[in-house]
Structures are given as structure tokens and as C-alpha cells.
Amino acid sequence: MIIFFDEDAIEFASLGLGVLKDPISCIVKEKLNDSFELEMEYPITGNNFSKLKENRIIYCKPNPYDDAQPFRICSITKPIKGYVTVNAVHISYDMNGIPVKAVSGNNLNDTITQIQNGAVISHNFKFSSD
């Protein structure tokens, strides 16, 4: 099931703004330690098409094995032959826009704590490592 949420959503336990049940295709491409992107072709006659907007979040399973993941819409093409192409990147890409003060830790946990507390702007990300 493909669900979409408003841009400031941080919980994905509901049906959000609605279900996108009419995609022509929805493909998630993931490269280890590289890109994690979604591309969906959606008809302009599909349910909830009018609510699709940049920065909103698409929540779906990236593959048959993993749990659903949030993807932020970064672009929507103009309609061509009755459908649009929606491109989205994994929500973790949001961290790219968060500047962090310089850190220097003695160990991994100390460094993670410094990164978490050294963000220049507020955010909802939590860092951890095992």
C-alpha cells in the first residue's frame, strides 16, 4: 500500500492524507551506501492526484522484504499523456540540510552525542549505533 502524508509528518501509523491506489508504476532504487530513491508514474485521474505536492511524504515498502519507508517528494513532472512522474528521495536525505558544528569525540558514542547536540537548527532525527 502506498500512503502519503503532509510534509511535516513524523509518525506513519495512520492513513495520512490518503492512499495512492492507482499508480501505473512505483519503483524504489537503492544502492548500498549511495542513493535511495522512488519513482512513481501516477495518472492525473487517480484518486488523491490533486493532493500530490512537492515536499509531501510517500510511505511505502521499498521491496518485498523490508518495512515501509518514508520518501520525500522532490519533483512532479507536468502531465504527459495523462500521467505525471513523481520523484522522491528517502527521508534521511533531509539530514543533508542540517548544518552541524565541528565535533571531535573520544569514542563513537561521544561523537554521536556531539553530532546530535551540535546541529545548528532543530530537527527530529535521533542518532544511534550498535
Side-chain angles (χ1 to χ4, degrees):
M1 180 171 7
I2 302 170
I3 306 170
F4 74 109
F5 292 83
D6 213 353
E7 61 188 42
D8 58 353
I10 56 173
E11 298 284 329
F12 305 103
S14 70
L15 292 180
L17 297 173
V19 175
L20 299 172
K21 55 185 173 183
D22 302 316
I24 296 166
S25 68
C26 184
I27 299 170
V28 174
K29 295 179 183 175
E30 181 179 13
K31 293 181 184 172
L32 188 60
N33 295 323
D34 195 5
S35 60
F36 199 8
E37 301 171 346
L38 175 146
E39 182 176 284
M40 178 174 63
E41 292 182 1
Y42 203 77
I44 60 174
T45 57
N47 77 311
N48 292 318
F49 167 76
S50 63
K51 295 180 186 176
L52 282 174
K53 297 193 182 341
E54 286 185 16
N55 291 319
R56 288 198 168 157
I57 298 170
I58 294 174
Y59 188 69
C60 67
K61 289 181 64 121
N63 60 56
Y65 313 105
D66 292 329
D67 292 333
Q69 300 281 319
F71 294 84
R72 186 168 306 279
I73 298 172
C74 54
S75 68
I76 303 171
T77 64
K78 293 185 184 217
I80 299 173
K81 295 184 180 179
Y83 67 89
V84 295
T85 299
V86 178
N87 292 295
V89 294
H90 193 269
I91 199 77
S92 64
Y93 283 47
D94 285 0
M95 291 190 298
N96 291 344
I98 301 173
V100 177
K101 298 174 188 173
V103 299
S104 175
N106 295 325
N107 57 54
L108 179 61
N109 288 333
D110 183 37
T111 304
I112 288 174
T113 300
Q114 286 187 41
I115 292 170
Q116 179 75 44
N117 297 333
V120 176
I121 59 177
S122 64
H123 59 85
N124 291 318
F125 292 103
K126 302 291 183 225
F127 305 106
S128 66
S129 178
D130 58 2

